[in-house]
Amino acid sequence: MKKIISFLLAIILVLSSCVIPALAENGIDPRDSAYFSSYGTTLSRQGGGCIKITFTANALEISDTLGVSTYQVERLEEDGDWVDCSGLLNGKTISGFASYTFSKYFYGFEGETYRVKVIFICGIDNGVETKAYTSGSITAN
C-alpha cells in the first residue's frame, strides 16, 4: 500500500511541475502579474468567412478597469508573414468586476487564416497593467 501511495504522489509531483511551464510557453504566466489572474482569446468559425473572437480577462480582485484596450486581426500570407488586415480596433472595458468576457465578429474570407493581437488592460487602485497577447490561428470557412 505504501508503494502505491508513493507512486501516486510521485506522479502528482511530476504532473504538477508540467503545468507552470506549459502556461509560460503560451506567454501567459499568471505569476508575472500583479493584476491579472488570466487573459486570452478564443477564435471560432461562423461560416461565410466570419470569425467570432471571444476575449476573456480575469483580475485578481474587483477592478476599476478590466478588458481589452485595443486589438487587431492579422492574416497569414503565402510567404508565412502575418499582415494587419483590420487596423487597430478599440476593445471594450468594464469597471467594478473581477472577470469580463465579450465577443466581436470579424468578416474575412473563406480559406484565409487569421489570428488576433490584443492588448488587455486591468486597473486596480490607481495602478494599471497591460498585457500583449497573440491568439492561436484559425482558417475561416
Side-chain angles (χ1 to χ4, degrees):
M1 184 67 171
K2 285 185 177 183
K3 287 182 181 181
I4 293 173
I5 292 173
S6 296
F7 179 73
L8 290 175
L9 288 174
I11 288 177
I12 290 170
L13 180 64
V14 168
L15 291 176
S16 66
S17 67
C18 296
V19 173
I20 297 301
L23 288 172
E25 183 177 301
N26 290 327
I28 304 170
D29 188 355
R31 295 174 299 168
D32 71 354
S33 175
Y35 296 84
F36 290 98
S37 61
S38 64
Y39 51 89
T41 63
T42 303
L43 306 179
S44 58
R45 296 175 192 88
Q46 302 296 299
C50 181
I51 296 171
K52 180 179 180 181
I53 307 164
T54 303
F55 303 92
T56 302
N58 295 297
L60 293 172
E61 59 185 82
I62 301 297
S63 59
D64 302 320
T65 303
L66 180 64
V68 172
S69 175
T70 59
Y71 70 100
Q72 67 184 37
V73 180
E74 294 182 330
R75 183 183 67 247
L76 182 62
E77 295 286 295
E78 288 182 16
D79 63 4
D81 289 338
W82 290 96
V83 295
D84 177 19
C85 62
S86 69
L88 198 57
L89 302 169
N90 289 326
K92 292 170 108 178
T93 60
I94 195 168
S95 62
F97 291 88
S99 181
Y100 186 41
T101 299
F102 69 95
S103 298
K104 295 277 193 166
Y105 291 89
F106 175 77
Y107 295 90
F109 297 96
E110 293 180 26
E112 297 286 340
T113 301
Y114 299 94
R115 72 179 184 184
V116 179
K117 294 183 96 172
V118 184
I119 302 295
F120 286 95
I121 186 168
C122 182
I124 300 172
D125 295 332
N126 296 322
V128 176
E129 183 175 59
T130 59
K131 292 290 186 178
Y133 176 85
T134 302
S135 74
S137 61
I138 190 170
T139 301
N141 63 0

